[in-house]
Amino acid sequence: QQVEVDVKIMLDPENTDNKAGLKHPNNETRLPLITKKKSAPMCSQKIGKGHTVTSPWALPAFRSLDSALPLVGEDIPQGPLSLTGQRLTLPAAKRTLPVPPLVSKAAPFPEFPRQHKKSAAAIYGTYSSGKGNIAPLPSSNSVVSTRKSKPEWTYPAQQLESEVHIPSQTQDPCLDWDIAVHHGTVDQKAPGFLALQQRHHSSWGSIVGFLEHTEKLLKDHAVPLATINGQKLAQIASDFDFNENPTKSDILSVIKNQSAVEKILNRPGQRRRGRGGTAVAAAEIPRRCHGAALGSGQQQWAAGVLGASWRSWHHLARVRNALREARHRHLENFYSRAKHLAANWNRIRTSRRTIIHIPSLGYSQRIREHIPDLALQQNLQMGRLCDILDANVDVIYICPLALSEELLQYYNKLLGLQAAVRSGNPEDMADLQDRFKILTPEAINSFPEHHMCLATVLKYSPRTIQRLQVLIQSKDAYMVGGVPHQDDLAVADVLQVPLLGSEPAVAQLYSTKSGSKRIFASAGVQTPPGQWDIHSREQLFRALSQLVLDNMEVQRWLFKVDDERGGNGTAYCDVISHLECYHWIQKEWQRHSPEVWSKSQARELALVKISQELPGLLAQHVQPVNEKRFPTWEKFLQTFLSQGGVIEAFPFSASITNLTVDLLIEPTGEVTMVSSGDQLHAEGPLRSSGTTIPQRSVDPAVLNSLCSKIGEVCKCKGVLGYFSVDFVAFTHPRTRERQVWATDLDLCYSDQLALTQLLLYVTDGNLDCGSSCLQGPLGSKESRSQRIQHEGTKPPAPSSPWCAVASSQLRHSSLSGISYNLLLHTCKARGVGFDLQEKQGTVFVLYEDQERHRLGMITIGEDLQGVLLTFARNLFIIHQEISAPNMQGETNFKMAIRDIEAILGVTAENKLKLGEEQPWEADALKE
C-alpha cells in the first residue's frame, strides 16, 4: 500500500491529496510541494533535423555571447575540459572573424517507423526528441550523441555544402540557475546545471574544477544537501585557473543555504563522519594526546595554528593574484609586440637580425609525463642552427641538454662548411662561431621529476636569461618556439622580444585532433569519413555504428586521442573483418537501391545489429599503436574518453602515401610553403619515422590549393608562425581517381623543417614547394661545363632537380658503445660521407653524447631510388660496425630497410646486396 502511495506522488507531485497519505513511522519529514516548471531548460546538441540529446558535461556547440575569442560554432570543443582546463577567453583577439562559408551538415539519425517502434524499444529503450522516439545505443549512464555525422567516403566534400544549424541566442530558456548537491554529488541533470553549462562554456573548465572541489568538501563532511547559486558560481569560478584550489570560504560563498552548510561543517567530529573519516580520526589521536599534555596551552597552540593558517591563506591569495596578473600582462605584451613585428616585418626580414630558437615541447603536463627522454625529444631540431645560411642572421639555439666539447666541435665544423660548399673546395672552411651560439639553461637538472618543457626550464635559469639579454642588446631579435606554452610568453616578456608563433591557447585549441578537423571543415578540404569530439562510450558506439554502415568499403577504423602526438594515442581496428552481421548487411544492401536503402527497415535493423556487436568486438580486436602505454582496449578507452578524440577511416587502398607540408604564416599575414615530404614508416603505417624531400605523391598544384585554403583559415583563427599539415594520398580502388585527405595539423615547428634547413645548408640548394622541386647546385662536372659555356656564347645550364631521404628517428642501442669520432671515421672508411664537390652523400645529425642511442641522417642525391638504396646501405654498414654477431642490440634499422624495400617495390632477394653479406643482413633479407 505504501508503495502505491509513493508511485502516485511520483506520477502527480502537485496533488496534495496524494502526499497527505504519505506518513513514514520513523520520519516526520514531509515532501516539499514541487511546483510545475517549464520544460526545455535542457542544454542540448543537434544531431539532425530537430533531434537533440543531452550531454551532461559537454560544451554547447554554438558561439558564446560573453567570450572574447571570436570562435564560430564548430570551433567550440566538446567534452568536460577544453584546453586542458584553461579558459578559452583570449582578451587580445578582438577582431571579428568571418563565419566559414562551408561547414558540415549534420545527418539525421535514422528513425524507426511506427510499426517497428515497439520492437526497437525492446532492444534499445527510447528517448524523446523533436520528431518522435529514437533508439539509442544499449549502454550505461547518459545518452550523448555525435555532433555530426559525415556522408559516405566516396564524396567527403559533400559534408561542406551547407551550414550547421546554430540555435538561436536571443532566447534564454534556462530560468533556474540553482544546482543541487546531494551527499556531495552535483545533480548534473538539474536545469540550473544545464543552464550554466549552456551560457558559460568559455569558462566551463574553471567551473568544473570549482564544482569538483565543492563536491569533495561536502563529501568529506557528510553534508546531505546543498544548493549552489549558479550565477554566483560562474562569477567566482571565472577568476580561478583550473589548477587552482578554491578555499572553503570561496565554496561557501556560492552556496545559497550557506548558514546551514557552514553549521554542519563546523560541527565537532563532522569530518570523521564523512568520506575517509576513519583515517582522519586515526591521524588526530596522537595530536590530541600531545595537546592534552599542554593543558591550557592547547588554546594558545590552536590560536597560533589558526593565525598561521590565516596568514598562509592571504599569502596564497596574493601569489595567485600576482600569477594571474603576470599571465595577463604576458599575453597583452605578446599581442603588442606581435603588432610591432608585423608593422616592421618587411624591414626586419631583410636586415641584420638575431633569431632565438627554443625547441620547447609545451604540451600539457599529462602528455609530457608520457614522453620518454623528453629532453632528447626537444633536441631533435639542431637543423635550426642552419638559419645562418642567410648572411644577415645570427642564431641563438637554446639546448635542453649539456653538449660535450666533442659535439660542439662537430657542429662548429659542420656549420663552417658553408663557404666550402659554395666553392666546392674543402680548404675554404670558415669559423662561424660568432654567428651562432648554443646555450644550455643551468636549471636543466634542477627539476628531474617535474617533466618541465624547455621554455619553463629557461624561465627558471636566470644566468642564461641574463646572457641572452646581453647577446641581443640593441639588436633586432625575435623568438621561434616549438609547441607553444605559457612560459614562452613569459620568456619573451623578460627578453622584451616578439614571438613568431601562436598564442598558447589558440595552439592548444586547434592542435588537437578534433580542433584540426574543425579547421579542415572550415577550409572545405576533403577529410577521412569520421567523427570528432567523442567523450562518452554511447557517443563512440553510436558514431562508429553509423560510420560503418555508411562506409561499408572501409576496412579499418582509427581511434585518435585528441592531445596525443606521434601515433602514441592511436589505436585501430579492422571492424568489417570481425563483424558477424556484415554478410547479412551486404546481402540486404544489394537487395535495395541506394534511395530505398537509406529509408528501409533493413537499414535500421542493420544499425541495431552493428551497435550490439561493437562493444565486444572492440574489446577483443582493437590494437593500440603504443602497446606499452596501452596494453588493453579498456586502458586506451579510458584515456580516449577523458581527453576526447576522433574516429577516422583508414584509406581502403593497397597504395597509400602519407605526406607532411610545412607552412609559415608571416606577421604580415602572407602564407608560404617552406617544406614538403613523403613520410617513411619504419615502425608501422601510423608512425612517421622519416621523410623523402620534396614530396612526389601529389600534384603540386592540388597540394598548393589545399594548403592555401588551410593556411587562410588558420590565419583567420589567429595562428601565426610555423605549422605543418599531414595528408594521406591514395588511389580509389574502384574509380582509380587520386584522393587526397587532410588528416592532422600541428601548430609548431616540425622535425621535417629542421632537417630541410640542414639539407639546404649543406647543398646550397633551393626548395621550390610550389613545384615540389629541390634545385641542387652545380656539381664539379656541371661546374666545368658551365665555365666552358660561360667562356663561349651559350648561357649556363640549369641545375638539376635533387631529392633527399632524412630521418631524426633512427635508434640503435649499440651506438652507445662507440664514440662519435670513431663512428664518423669508420663510416668515412666505408664510403659513407658527403662529397663537397658533387654536393651529394650523407650528413649525420648528432643529438647527445651521454646515452648515444639516437641518430639523425640525411642522404642526398639526384635519383630517388638511388638515394633510398644509399640510405638503406648506410644503415647496414652502421649496424655491422657497431654490433657483435651475438649482440645485435635494440634497433629500428631493420624496419626502416623493410619500409624502403616496400617503397621501391622490389624483393629483398635482388636488392640491397652489399658485396659481403653479414649474419644480420641475411636474417633481415629472410624476413
Side-chain angles (χ1 to χ4, degrees):
Q1 185 177 6
Q2 184 62 49
V3 172
E4 292 178 359
V5 173
D6 292 344
V7 171
K8 287 181 181 180
I9 290 174
M10 287 188 291
L11 294 177
D12 189 6
E14 296 179 59
N15 193 330
T16 57
D17 294 334
N18 289 341
K19 290 190 291 180
L22 181 65
K23 194 80 171 178
H24 292 283
N26 298 324
N27 191 347
E28 294 299 324
T29 303
R30 294 181 177 271
L31 290 178
L33 177 63
I34 303 176
T35 57
K36 189 171 184 179
K37 298 177 182 178
K38 294 184 180 181
S39 60
M42 306 292 288
C43 304
S44 57
Q45 295 175 314
K46 287 283 182 179
I47 60 172
K49 296 182 178 179
H51 298 191
T52 61
V53 292
T54 61
S55 171
W57 292 93
L59 294 175
F62 61 84
R63 187 171 179 176
S64 169
L65 295 176
D66 57 355
S67 173
L69 175 64
L71 299 176
V72 295
E74 71 272 16
D75 291 333
I76 305 300
Q78 307 298 308
L81 299 177
S82 60
L83 295 183
T84 64
Q86 298 179 10
R87 298 179 58 194
L88 290 172
T89 304
L90 308 177
K94 297 181 179 179
R95 59 182 181 279
T96 302
L97 303 183
V99 178
L102 300 174
V103 291
S104 303
K105 182 176 181 180
F109 195 78
E111 296 186 33
F112 288 100
R114 288 184 180 274
Q115 61 267 31
H116 290 279
K117 281 181 183 177
K118 187 173 182 180
S119 61
I123 297 172
Y124 278 150
T126 61
Y127 68 92
S128 176
S129 76
K131 278 195 173 184
N133 293 334
I134 297 179
L137 286 169
S139 192
S140 45
N141 301 327
S142 61
V143 181
V144 185
S145 89
T146 56
R147 186 163 68 105
K148 300 177 186 176
S149 180
K150 296 224 176 165
E152 294 186 8
W153 69 267
T154 48
Y155 304 103
Q158 290 180 355
Q159 61 182 313
L160 309 169
E161 292 178 358
S162 61
E163 296 183 354
V164 171
H165 171 68
I166 300 179
S168 172
Q169 301 181 32
T170 59
Q171 299 179 358
D172 182 13
C174 304
L175 302 177
D176 188 0
W177 288 69
D178 291 343
I179 303 172
V181 185
H182 299 282
H183 299 286
T185 302
V186 172
D187 183 4
Q188 298 179 16
K189 296 182 180 180
F193 179 90
L194 298 170
L196 187 69
Q197 180 186 45
Q198 183 79 3
R199 294 296 303 273
H200 292 278
H201 56 79
S202 63
S203 57
W204 187 239
S206 298
I207 293 174
V208 170
F210 196 100
L211 286 176
E212 288 177 349
H213 289 94
T214 303
E215 286 183 326
K216 182 179 185 303
L217 177 67
L218 299 181
K219 283 182 181 178
D220 289 347
H221 291 81
V223 178
L225 177 64
T227 304
I228 295 177
N229 185 321
Q231 294 184 358
K232 196 164 186 179
L233 169 64
Q235 296 172 359
I236 297 295
S238 63
D239 293 330
F240 284 83
D241 288 334
F242 181 71
N243 57 356
E244 294 185 63
N245 296 336
T247 64
K248 179 180 175 180
S249 60
D250 292 331
I251 294 175
L252 287 173
S253 67
V254 302
I255 295 178
K256 296 186 70 173
N257 55 334
Q258 178 179 351
S259 60
V261 172
E262 190 171 11
K263 184 177 180 180
I264 295 175
L265 295 178
N266 296 332
R267 185 182 300 164
Q270 185 66 26
R271 177 64 184 89
R272 298 192 295 275
R273 296 185 179 95
R275 181 178 58 179
T278 303
V280 173
E284 191 175 354
I285 290 175
R287 292 199 302 270
R288 293 258 179 185
C289 294
H290 178 70
L294 296 177
S296 61
Q298 184 176 7
Q299 295 180 357
Q300 298 176 358
W301 169 82
V305 170
L306 290 175
S309 299
W310 182 256
R311 289 190 298 272
S312 177
W313 183 87
H314 276 283
H315 175 71
L316 290 175
R318 288 195 299 269
V319 171
R320 183 178 61 192
N321 291 334
L323 180 60
R324 187 183 298 114
E325 292 173 0
R327 288 183 175 177
H328 182 69
R329 183 178 66 254
H330 296 159
L331 189 60
E332 286 187 339
N333 291 340
F334 163 78
Y335 277 107
S336 175
R337 294 191 180 101
K339 184 177 180 180
H340 179 270
L341 184 65
N344 295 274
W345 180 247
N346 290 329
R347 176 189 62 81
I348 293 174
R349 64 181 299 185
T350 57
S351 59
R352 192 75 182 176
R353 61 197 182 278
T354 300
I355 303 176
I356 305 170
H357 279 287
I358 307 177
S360 175
L361 296 181
Y363 298 120
S364 64
Q365 179 71 19
R366 65 186 178 192
I367 302 300
R368 297 198 305 270
E369 288 175 351
H370 293 286
I371 298 178
D373 299 323
L374 176 61
L376 176 61
Q377 290 293 332
Q378 294 180 118
N379 202 39
L380 299 183
Q381 299 181 359
M382 296 291 289
R384 293 184 184 221
L385 290 166
C386 297
D387 278 349
I388 64 171
L389 181 63
D390 185 335
N392 287 324
V393 172
D394 294 337
V395 169
I396 301 175
Y397 178 85
I398 306 300
C399 183
L401 296 166
L403 302 185
S404 67
E405 189 63 29
E406 178 186 14
L407 213 53
L408 292 174
Q409 286 299 321
Y410 175 78
Y411 282 104
N412 288 338
K413 292 180 179 179
L414 180 63
L415 296 175
L417 290 175
Q418 187 179 43
V421 166
R422 290 175 174 170
S423 67
N425 185 1
E427 296 180 358
D428 291 341
M429 288 182 59
D431 186 356
L432 299 181
Q433 293 187 55
D434 60 330
R435 297 278 312 282
F436 71 94
K437 294 288 185 293
I438 299 177
L439 304 182
T440 300
E442 67 268 20
I444 55 171
N445 297 318
S446 300
F447 310 98
E449 304 298 327
H450 289 73
H451 305 280
M452 289 182 173
C453 67
L454 181 58
T456 304
V457 173
L458 178 59
K459 174 184 175 182
Y460 294 115
S461 301
R463 289 201 301 271
T464 306
I465 290 289
Q466 187 176 13
R467 188 176 179 193
L468 278 169
Q469 291 172 330
V470 172
L471 289 173
I472 64 174
Q473 188 174 8
S474 304
K475 296 180 180 178
D476 283 331
Y478 59 88
M479 276 175 47
V480 177
V483 177
H485 187 273
Q486 288 287 345
D487 287 332
D488 285 286
L489 307 188
V491 171
D493 205 36
V494 172
L495 298 177
Q496 298 183 0
V497 296
L499 173 64
L500 182 59
S502 303
E503 180 191 343
V506 172
Q508 292 172 25
L509 176 61
Y510 294 116
S511 281
T512 65
K513 306 300 181 185
S514 297
S516 66
K517 301 299 182 185
R518 290 190 285 271
I519 290 286
F520 298 149
S522 298
V525 298
Q526 288 188 332
T527 57
Q531 185 65 50
W532 55 88
D533 285 326
I534 305 293
H535 285 276
S536 72
R537 290 176 184 264
E538 293 83 358
Q539 193 181 3
L540 171 67
F541 295 141
R542 180 185 303 277
L544 186 57
S545 300
Q546 188 74 52
L547 289 168
V548 169
L549 192 59
D550 290 343
N551 303 275
M552 295 297 290
E553 303 93 338
V554 176
Q555 187 80 11
R556 174 171 294 179
W557 291 93
L558 308 179
F559 308 91
K560 297 181 178 180
V561 179
D562 262 343
D563 294 333
E564 299 286 346
R565 293 291 178 271
N568 288 316
T570 302
Y572 61 91
C573 183
D574 296 332
V575 176
I576 296 299
S577 302
H578 305 290
L579 199 62
E580 294 180 359
C581 62
Y582 173 69
H583 297 293
W584 176 86
I585 295 174
Q586 231 182 6
K587 182 179 178 181
E588 292 296 321
W589 179 76
Q590 292 172 355
R591 290 178 51 209
H592 299 80
S593 65
E595 295 79 10
V596 176
W597 170 253
S598 62
K599 301 177 182 179
S600 68
Q601 302 169 9
R603 187 182 187 281
E604 296 164 0
L605 184 56
L607 191 62
V608 173
K609 287 179 175 288
I610 294 173
S611 63
Q612 288 177 332
E613 285 191 46
L614 278 181
L617 185 153
L618 296 178
Q620 187 174 357
H621 298 290
V622 165
Q623 181 68 42
V625 173
N626 189 342
E627 293 184 277
K628 290 183 179 180
R629 183 176 175 190
F630 303 111
T632 64
W633 160 246
E634 197 60 34
K635 184 74 173 177
F636 177 86
L637 185 61
Q638 181 181 357
T639 302
F640 182 90
L641 297 180
S642 64
Q643 297 186 26
V646 303
I647 306 172
E648 182 180 292
F650 188 79
F652 38 92
S653 174
S655 177
I656 301 170
T657 303
N658 297 88
L659 60 147
T660 300
V661 179
D662 290 289
L663 298 100
L664 169 63
I665 298 180
E666 299 184 18
T668 55
E670 184 179 354
V671 182
T672 56
M673 294 171 59
V674 292
S675 179
S676 68
D678 295 326
Q679 294 179 10
L680 301 175
H681 297 92
E683 300 181 63
L686 302 177
R687 276 184 167 177
S688 174
S689 61
T691 182
T692 61
I693 304 171
Q695 71 83 25
R696 296 185 177 181
S697 57
V698 177
D699 182 354
V702 173
L703 193 61
N704 287 343
S705 175
L706 295 174
C707 291
S708 176
K709 293 177 181 178
I710 295 171
E712 289 300 322
V713 171
C714 286
K715 181 173 67 175
C716 291
K717 303 294 186 183
V719 176
L720 178 67
Y722 296 96
F723 67 99
S724 61
V725 185
D726 288 346
F727 297 92
V728 59
F730 64 98
T731 301
H732 192 292
R734 182 160 41 87
T735 64
R736 308 308 300 171
E737 293 181 354
R738 193 67 170 166
Q739 299 281 330
V740 182
W741 291 345
T743 58
D744 207 356
L745 178 70
D746 287 315
L747 301 182
C748 60
Y749 198 106
S750 74
D751 292 352
Q752 175 180 273
L753 180 56
L755 291 170
T756 301
Q757 296 293 85
L758 178 57
L759 164 66
L760 299 179
Y761 190 88
V762 298
T763 60
D764 197 27
N766 175 58
L767 179 60
D768 183 3
C769 294
S771 59
S772 291
C773 182
L774 174 61
Q775 290 296 132
L778 301 178
S780 59
K781 297 178 182 178
E782 289 85 351
S783 298
R784 287 193 295 269
S785 174
Q786 180 182 2
R787 286 196 299 269
I788 294 173
Q789 292 175 351
H790 184 68
E791 292 171 357
T793 57
K794 296 181 181 180
S799 57
S800 58
W802 281 17
C803 61
V805 179
S807 175
S808 61
Q809 304 293 330
L810 299 175
R811 293 182 290 102
H812 203 303
S813 59
S814 297
L815 282 168
S816 59
I818 183 173
S819 69
Y820 282 138
N821 278 334
L822 182 57
L823 175 65
L824 295 174
H825 281 94
T826 302
C827 289
K828 183 177 180 181
R830 295 290 301 272
V832 180
F834 187 76
D835 189 325
L836 286 174
Q837 293 183 338
E838 298 296 334
K839 298 175 180 59
Q840 300 184 31
T842 299
V843 176
F844 293 104
V845 188
L846 309 180
Y847 301 125
E848 51 85 29
D849 51 3
Q850 296 177 3
E851 296 185 6
R852 295 200 308 274
H853 60 274
R854 293 286 291 271
L855 191 68
M857 185 169 68
I858 304 177
T859 302
I860 307 160
E862 297 181 359
D863 172 67
L864 180 59
Q865 182 176 4
V867 173
L868 286 168
L869 287 171
T870 302
F871 193 89
R873 177 181 179 273
N874 293 345
L875 296 180
F876 274 125
I877 291 175
I878 294 172
H879 178 84
Q880 292 169 6
E881 295 296 334
I882 66 177
S883 303
N886 58 344
M887 294 182 63
Q888 299 296 299
E890 296 182 7
T891 179
N892 63 355
F893 284 16
K894 296 181 185 180
M895 293 180 284
I897 292 172
R898 283 197 292 266
D899 185 43
I900 290 175
E901 290 173 353
I903 294 174
L904 295 174
V906 297
T907 61
E909 284 76 11
N910 60 8
K911 285 291 179 180
L912 300 176
K913 295 295 183 179
L914 292 185
E916 54 178 331
E917 193 173 276
Q918 298 294 326
W920 169 73
E921 179 188 346
D923 292 339
L925 295 177
K926 289 178 183 178
E927 293 174 7

